[in-house]
Amino acid sequence: MAGIPGLLFLLFLLCAVVQVRPYGVHWKPTWPAYRLPVILPQSTHNLSKPDFVAEAKLEVSSTCGPQCHKGTPLPTYQEVKQYLSYETLYANGSRTETQVGIYILSNGGGGAQRQNSESSGRSRRKRQIYGYDSRFSIFGKDFLLNYPFSTSVKLSTGCTGTLVAEKHVLTAAHCIHDGKTYVKGTQKLRVGFLKPKFKDGGRGANSSNSAIPEKMKFQWIRVKRTHVPKGWIKGNANDIGMDYDYALLELKKPHKRKFMKIGVSPPTKQLPGGRIHFSGYDNDRPGNLVYRFCDIKDETYDLLYQQCDAQPGASGSGVYVRMWKRQQQKWERKIIGIFSGHQWVDVNGSPQDFNVAVRITPLKYAQICYWIKGNYLDCREG
């Protein structure tokens, strides 16, 4: 399929769904099947050691809202390649930059074929609460240590992350990189797991059924390396950058917990009730894991706009939904986005605010999955 014109490449980006059944009397919200691209490294070169001087930002703001994003021209193939190239930071402070190629598998699935490389192609202060605060603090080890809440972890920089594999955590890029350089503490980045707090080696006096919540503490694991897309590093939060506000962390050792798989974000109309869920460590409730759900108000190809109540610290949380998995005949939760931040948007001349999540598109799925698996053949099902 070499020599595919740029127009077909753009159509592929927008028309990746290949299996969606119509609604019926016994319809279940079902995970669609997608034609997934392949993203593979082409070249890697060393970069100088970074300065870890940026202040950690627990939220990202942007004035470019849904209509602004919808009016942005589609990227060319070369631009997409540039955005999906990535930077890797290692625990010893060294870093590399990797250029990628984008491929589409032939019908037989035997080999990846390259795309044509010549194709052309007012400030809200602190609160992000909408009316009545609808967040729920999760107490008691019987909840905190069980799926799906057990997949939420805390970053030492102050954000939230989600377990997506045995040694991998998905979070927001701005939690470790401000678009220009890495934030303070990233070289010794740690991920915290809530665990029961015992005294003198014994079990806590408060059981999970007690009226008084059992005290918990964080157990920390060091991060071995991080991946950040160049779309975040070369952009900024007021334009293309927010579309690429995601990062993957690889831990130095397995966490031994159940994790949540990533999935391609379906259109809002296919989600159960048009609703999303996520849990995070909001900084106005220190030490508490906070769960919320809400309806999606608008969407673009790369972003979900919603008004889930949230505070700084929740950014980086994995946004998930639960849908029917036809192949296995079971319900399954998947992460379809990463909570990024807050926006004031001019809607028909009047200010309106949203909280924003970055959607996992087919291209982003292919990239993140390859970071996790290291083999594109393991990334054929989104």
Side-chain angles (χ1 to χ4, degrees):
M1 200 180 294
I4 295 176
L7 178 60
L8 290 184
F9 171 69
L10 298 179
L11 289 175
F12 171 80
L13 298 185
L14 298 177
C15 305
V17 181
V18 297
Q19 184 180 357
V20 179
R21 292 189 178 182
Y23 299 110
V25 176
H26 303 292
W27 177 81
K28 296 177 181 177
T30 302
W31 288 108
Y34 289 88
R35 292 181 56 203
L36 293 174
V38 172
I39 296 179
L40 293 176
Q42 296 298 296
S43 63
T44 300
H45 64 274
N46 294 322
L47 300 175
S48 60
K49 287 192 175 184
D51 296 322
F52 300 91
V53 297
E55 295 293 335
K57 294 182 179 180
L58 302 187
E59 59 181 338
V60 174
S61 298
S62 174
T63 56
C64 183
Q67 296 309 314
C68 169
H69 274 270
K70 290 175 183 177
T72 302
L74 288 172
T76 65
Y77 170 73
Q78 290 295 342
E79 288 173 332
V80 173
K81 278 212 316 175
Q82 176 185 351
Y83 299 149
L84 292 174
S85 295
Y86 57 92
E87 195 167 294
T88 302
L89 175 70
Y90 298 87
N92 63 2
S94 64
R95 60 176 176 150
T96 59
E97 179 178 313
T98 301
Q99 304 297 321
V100 302
I102 303 174
Y103 303 80
I104 295 177
L105 285 182
S106 60
N107 291 335
Q113 299 177 327
R114 190 172 185 173
Q115 284 282 0
N116 180 6
S117 63
E118 300 303 321
S119 298
S120 58
R122 167 177 29 181
S123 170
R124 191 180 181 101
R125 289 188 289 178
K126 290 185 179 180
R127 293 185 60 80
Q128 299 173 31
I129 306 300
Y130 300 87
Y132 176 75
D133 189 346
S134 60
R135 297 173 297 163
F136 302 88
S137 290
I138 307 300
F139 295 114
K141 66 179 183 179
D142 287 349
F143 292 102
L144 286 168
L145 301 184
N146 284 333
Y147 187 86
F149 303 116
S150 59
T151 65
S152 296
V153 293
K154 186 176 179 65
L155 274 60
S156 55
T157 54
C159 288
T160 299
T162 308
L163 304 176
V164 293
E166 290 87 351
K167 295 174 64 176
H168 293 88
V169 175
L170 187 64
T171 188
H174 75 260
C175 295
I176 61 174
H177 196 290
D178 72 349
K180 297 180 181 179
T181 189
Y182 290 90
V183 305
K184 295 177 181 178
T186 303
Q187 186 175 355
K188 296 182 180 180
L189 187 63
R190 299 178 301 158
V191 171
F193 299 75
L194 268 183
K195 291 186 176 264
K197 186 176 183 179
F198 301 140
K199 293 183 179 180
D200 301 324
R203 301 193 63 82
N206 298 323
S207 70
S208 59
N209 296 322
S210 171
I212 302 175
E214 183 171 7
K215 290 184 178 181
M216 307 288 284
K217 66 175 182 178
F218 285 103
Q219 183 178 71
W220 300 89
I221 298 179
R222 285 285 302 274
V223 171
K224 177 181 178 181
R225 61 179 173 178
T226 67
H227 298 300
V228 178
K230 298 296 286 186
W232 171 256
I233 296 174
K234 292 185 177 182
N236 63 71
N238 291 317
D239 46 50
I240 196 69
M242 186 170 267
D243 296 353
Y244 294 88
D245 188 11
Y246 59 92
L248 188 77
L249 319 179
E250 181 181 347
L251 305 176
K252 285 193 170 182
K253 62 180 182 180
H255 52 75
K256 298 180 181 179
R257 287 191 179 187
K258 184 177 180 179
F259 56 85
M260 194 179 301
K261 295 179 180 179
I262 62 171
V264 175
S265 174
T268 299
K269 63 183 179 181
Q270 294 183 25
L271 301 181
R275 181 176 295 166
I276 58 171
H277 309 250
F278 64 95
S279 302
Y281 292 96
D282 302 51
N283 64 1
D284 66 329
R285 301 188 186 182
N288 289 351
L289 179 64
V290 185
Y291 162 76
R292 75 227 76 196
F293 63 89
C294 68
D295 296 341
I296 297 172
K297 301 298 183 183
D298 206 341
E299 65 181 326
T300 65
Y301 183 72
D302 285 287
L303 300 175
L304 294 174
Y305 294 85
Q306 32 80 18
Q307 292 183 330
C308 282
D309 292 329
Q311 290 280 305
S315 54
S317 301
V319 172
Y320 65 88
V321 294
R322 179 177 176 265
M323 298 174 67
W324 182 251
K325 191 73 172 177
R326 185 177 294 111
Q327 295 91 327
Q328 284 78 32
Q329 291 292 294
K330 67 176 184 179
W331 294 96
E332 184 176 20
R333 293 178 180 88
K334 290 185 183 181
I335 297 171
I336 62 168
I338 304 94
F339 177 58
S340 178
H342 178 258
Q343 289 188 349
W344 271 107
V345 178
D346 186 9
V347 179
N348 298 324
S350 62
Q352 185 174 355
D353 55 343
F354 294 97
N355 281 328
V356 183
V358 178
R359 298 179 71 175
I360 298 180
T361 63
L363 283 167
K364 293 171 188 173
Y365 176 91
Q367 180 187 57
I368 296 169
C369 183
Y370 184 83
W371 285 345
I372 295 172
K373 304 286 189 179
N375 184 350
Y376 76 87
L377 293 175
D378 294 329
C379 300
R380 303 308 306 143
E381 180 185 343

